[in-house]
Amino acid sequence: MTYERVCALSEVPEEGSLRIELADIDVAVVQLDGEVYAIQDVCSHADVPLTDGDVDDVDGAPTIECALHGSCFDLRTGQPTNLPATEPVPVYPVRVEGDDVLVDVDAPLALQP
């Protein structure tokens, strides 16, 4: 795995997200209930940045919502939790070392159905 520093943890809003523009991909770094997640920053339904939407716990699942049509994505798996999205969004391994958030965009986590 090749982790790279993408931001400081202090830059990521609690209960919120931060858009990180990398060379090949845009990633949403999300903080919710003390956990940090990384998900590709694009809705699979409408090609809209997920960082424009709300972060919340929905029925026990940490999610980020697409601001355009309201689809939510599980931050652990990338799976949509409601329509209109039907396709998952890639999620990435995250490590926090001190105040550094490290993400491995070369090794997306296996998407679960």
Side-chain angles (χ1 to χ4, degrees), residues 38-39 44 50 62 72-81 87-91 110-112:
I39 188 168
S44 61
L50 293 175
C72 292
F73 296 88
D74 188 316
L75 291 166
R76 303 166 298 184
T77 65
Q79 290 292 327
T81 61
E87 296 297 317
V89 175
V91 293
L111 297 175
Q112 304 296 319

Side-chain angles (χ1 to χ4, degrees), residues 64-76:
I64 190 165
E65 179 183 29
C66 175
L68 186 59
H69 293 119
S71 286
C72 292
F73 296 88
D74 188 316
L75 291 166
R76 303 166 298 184

Side-chain angles (χ1 to χ4, degrees), residues 19-38:
R19 180 182 180 95
I20 304 295
E21 297 176 6
L22 302 174
D24 298 328
I25 190 170
D26 294 334
V27 175
V29 176
V30 182
Q31 188 172 189
L32 180 65
D33 296 331
E35 296 292 326
V36 179
Y37 306 91

Side-chain angles (χ1 to χ4, degrees), residues 35-98:
E35 296 292 326
V36 179
Y37 306 91
I39 188 168
Q40 187 171 342
D41 192 21
V42 64
C43 175
S44 61
H45 170 255
D47 199 28
V48 173
L50 293 175
T51 48
D52 290 345
D54 293 330
V55 173
D56 203 359
D57 188 303
V58 177
D59 297 326
T63 64
I64 190 165
E65 179 183 29
C66 175
L68 186 59
H69 293 119
S71 286
C72 292
F73 296 88
D74 188 316
L75 291 166
R76 303 166 298 184
T77 65
Q79 290 292 327
T81 61
N82 62 313
L83 296 173
T86 59
E87 296 297 317
V89 175
V91 293
Y92 305 98
V94 176
R95 283 194 330 222
V96 177
E97 295 178 356

